[in-house]
PDB file of all heavy atoms in Angstrom:
ATOM      1  N   LYS A 103     102.159 103.220  87.881  1.00 96.00           N
ATOM      2  CA  LYS A 103     101.283 103.161  86.708  1.00 96.00           C
ATOM      3  C   LYS A 103     101.295 101.753  86.120  1.00 96.00           C
ATOM      4  O   LYS A 103     102.359 101.142  85.988  1.00 96.00           O
ATOM      5  CB  LYS A 103     101.783 104.168  85.664  1.00 96.00           C
ATOM      6  CG  LYS A 103     100.804 104.441  84.556  1.00 96.00           C
ATOM      7  CD  LYS A 103     101.282 105.665  83.765  1.00 96.00           C
ATOM      8  CE  LYS A 103     100.232 106.201  82.836  1.00 96.00           C
ATOM      9  NZ  LYS A 103     100.675 107.393  82.110  1.00 96.00           N
ATOM     10  N   MET A 104     100.107 101.274  85.778  1.00 98.00           N
ATOM     11  CA  MET A 104      99.995  99.923  85.226  1.00 98.00           C
ATOM     12  C   MET A 104      99.229  99.942  83.910  1.00 98.00           C
ATOM     13  O   MET A 104      98.208 100.625  83.802  1.00 98.00           O
ATOM     14  CB  MET A 104      99.241  99.040  86.216  1.00 98.00           C
ATOM     15  CG  MET A 104      98.901  97.652  85.693  1.00 98.00           C
ATOM     16  SD  MET A 104      97.744  96.822  86.808  1.00 98.00           S
ATOM     17  CE  MET A 104      98.612  95.304  87.088  1.00 98.00           C
ATOM     18  N   VAL A 105      99.734  99.230  82.923  1.00 98.00           N
ATOM     19  CA  VAL A 105      98.901  98.954  81.752  1.00 98.00           C
ATOM     20  C   VAL A 105      98.416  97.521  81.917  1.00 98.00           C
ATOM     21  O   VAL A 105      99.173  96.641  82.334  1.00 98.00           O
ATOM     22  CB  VAL A 105      99.646  99.134  80.406  1.00 98.00           C
ATOM     23  CG1 VAL A 105     100.095 100.562  80.221  1.00 98.00           C
ATOM     24  CG2 VAL A 105     100.814  98.197  80.268  1.00 98.00           C
ATOM     25  N   ILE A 106      97.156  97.301  81.628  1.00 98.00           N
ATOM     26  CA  ILE A 106      96.595  95.961  81.826  1.00 98.00           C
ATOM     27  C   ILE A 106      95.651  95.620  80.677  1.00 98.00           C
ATOM     28  O   ILE A 106      94.950  96.496  80.159  1.00 98.00           O
ATOM     29  CB  ILE A 106      95.864  95.841  83.185  1.00 98.00           C
ATOM     30  CG1 ILE A 106      95.420  94.394  83.446  1.00 98.00           C
ATOM     31  CG2 ILE A 106      94.677  96.794  83.274  1.00 98.00           C
ATOM     32  CD1 ILE A 106      94.967  94.118  84.866  1.00 98.00           C
ATOM     33  N   GLY A 107      95.667  94.363  80.283  1.00 98.00           N
ATOM     34  CA  GLY A 107      94.751  93.933  79.230  1.00 98.00           C
ATOM     35  C   GLY A 107      94.603  92.422  79.237  1.00 98.00           C
ATOM     36  O   GLY A 107      95.416  91.705  79.819  1.00 98.00           O
ATOM     37  N   THR A 108      93.536  91.971  78.600  1.00 98.00           N
ATOM     38  CA  THR A 108      93.343  90.539  78.399  1.00 98.00           C
ATOM     39  C   THR A 108      94.093  90.141  77.124  1.00 98.00           C
ATOM     40  O   THR A 108      94.092  90.896  76.147  1.00 98.00           O
ATOM     41  CB  THR A 108      91.842  90.222  78.243  1.00 98.00           C
ATOM     42  OG1 THR A 108      91.142  90.747  79.371  1.00 98.00           O
ATOM     43  CG2 THR A 108      91.596  88.730  78.138  1.00 98.00           C
ATOM     44  N   VAL A 109      94.706  88.971  77.147  1.00 98.00           N
ATOM     45  CA  VAL A 109      95.601  88.591  76.040  1.00 98.00           C
ATOM     46  C   VAL A 109      94.855  88.213  74.760  1.00 98.00           C
ATOM     47  O   VAL A 109      93.653  87.941  74.780  1.00 98.00           O
ATOM     48  CB  VAL A 109      96.526  87.407  76.431  1.00 98.00           C
ATOM     49  CG1 VAL A 109      97.457  87.788  77.559  1.00 98.00           C
ATOM     50  CG2 VAL A 109      95.714  86.160  76.749  1.00 98.00           C
ATOM     51  N   LYS A 110      95.598  88.186  73.708  1.00 98.00           N
ATOM     52  CA  LYS A 110      95.098  87.858  72.368  1.00 98.00           C
ATOM     53  C   LYS A 110      94.270  86.565  72.375  1.00 98.00           C
ATOM     54  O   LYS A 110      94.665  85.579  73.005  1.00 98.00           O
ATOM     55  CB  LYS A 110      96.300  87.690  71.437  1.00 98.00           C
ATOM     56  CG  LYS A 110      95.957  87.526  69.986  1.00 98.00           C
ATOM     57  CD  LYS A 110      97.254  87.514  69.190  1.00 98.00           C
ATOM     58  CE  LYS A 110      96.997  87.008  67.785  1.00 98.00           C
ATOM     59  NZ  LYS A 110      98.234  86.923  67.023  1.00 98.00           N
ATOM     60  N   GLY A 111      93.147  86.605  71.702  1.00 98.00           N
ATOM     61  CA  GLY A 111      92.286  85.418  71.584  1.00 98.00           C
ATOM     62  C   GLY A 111      91.292  85.274  72.711  1.00 98.00           C
ATOM     63  O   GLY A 111      90.442  84.383  72.689  1.00 98.00           O
ATOM     64  N   ASP A 112      91.376  86.175  73.693  1.00 98.00           N
ATOM     65  CA  ASP A 112      90.551  86.032  74.909  1.00 98.00           C
ATOM     66  C   ASP A 112      89.701  87.292  75.104  1.00 98.00           C
ATOM     67  O   ASP A 112      90.234  88.402  75.088  1.00 98.00           O
ATOM     68  CB  ASP A 112      91.491  85.851  76.114  1.00 98.00           C
ATOM     69  CG  ASP A 112      90.799  85.208  77.300  1.00 98.00           C
ATOM     70  OD1 ASP A 112      89.622  85.546  77.546  1.00 98.00           O
ATOM     71  OD2 ASP A 112      91.439  84.392  77.981  1.00 98.00           O
ATOM     72  N   ILE A 113      88.397  87.085  75.280  1.00 98.00           N
ATOM     73  CA  ILE A 113      87.521  88.262  75.405  1.00 98.00           C
ATOM     74  C   ILE A 113      86.939  88.411  76.813  1.00 98.00           C
ATOM     75  O   ILE A 113      86.075  89.240  77.041  1.00 98.00           O
ATOM     76  CB  ILE A 113      86.375  88.214  74.370  1.00 98.00           C
ATOM     77  CG1 ILE A 113      85.464  86.994  74.597  1.00 98.00           C
ATOM     78  CG2 ILE A 113      86.923  88.213  72.946  1.00 98.00           C
ATOM     79  CD1 ILE A 113      84.142  87.075  73.843  1.00 98.00           C
ATOM     80  N   HIS A 114      87.398  87.592  77.765  1.00 97.00           N
ATOM     81  CA  HIS A 114      86.907  87.736  79.143  1.00 97.00           C
ATOM     82  C   HIS A 114      87.492  89.014  79.747  1.00 97.00           C
ATOM     83  O   HIS A 114      88.705  89.196  79.728  1.00 97.00           O
ATOM     84  CB  HIS A 114      87.340  86.542  79.993  1.00 97.00           C
ATOM     85  CG  HIS A 114      86.724  85.253  79.553  1.00 97.00           C
ATOM     86  ND1 HIS A 114      87.268  84.469  78.565  1.00 97.00           N
ATOM     87  CD2 HIS A 114      85.598  84.619  79.963  1.00 97.00           C
ATOM     88  CE1 HIS A 114      86.502  83.403  78.392  1.00 97.00           C
ATOM     89  NE2 HIS A 114      85.481  83.457  79.221  1.00 97.00           N
ATOM     90  N   ASP A 115      86.636  89.863  80.305  1.00 95.00           N
ATOM     91  CA  ASP A 115      87.203  91.111  80.838  1.00 95.00           C
ATOM     92  C   ASP A 115      86.723  91.474  82.244  1.00 95.00           C
ATOM     93  O   ASP A 115      87.139  92.505  82.783  1.00 95.00           O
ATOM     94  CB  ASP A 115      86.965  92.287  79.877  1.00 95.00           C
ATOM     95  CG  ASP A 115      85.493  92.676  79.738  1.00 95.00           C
ATOM     96  OD1 ASP A 115      84.632  91.969  80.286  1.00 95.00           O
ATOM     97  OD2 ASP A 115      85.225  93.691  79.077  1.00 95.00           O
ATOM     98  N   ILE A 116      85.875  90.670  82.836  1.00 93.00           N
ATOM     99  CA  ILE A 116      85.337  91.061  84.148  1.00 93.00           C
ATOM    100  C   ILE A 116      86.440  91.067  85.215  1.00 93.00           C
ATOM    101  O   ILE A 116      86.579  92.023  85.975  1.00 93.00           O
ATOM    102  CB  ILE A 116      84.178  90.131  84.553  1.00 93.00           C
ATOM    103  CG1 ILE A 116      83.009  90.334  83.579  1.00 93.00           C
ATOM    104  CG2 ILE A 116      83.737  90.415  85.982  1.00 93.00           C
ATOM    105  CD1 ILE A 116      81.845  89.401  83.804  1.00 93.00           C
ATOM    106  N   GLY A 117      87.224  90.006  85.254  1.00 93.00           N
ATOM    107  CA  GLY A 117      88.298  89.921  86.249  1.00 93.00           C
ATOM    108  C   GLY A 117      89.320  91.023  86.037  1.00 93.00           C
ATOM    109  O   GLY A 117      89.746  91.687  86.988  1.00 93.00           O
TER     110      GLY A 117
END
Side-chain angles (χ1 to χ4, degrees):
K103 194 168 193 178
M104 173 191 233
V105 297
I106 186 167
T108 305
V109 296
K110 188 174 166 183
D112 201 321
I113 63 166
H114 295 86
D115 67 354
I116 294 176

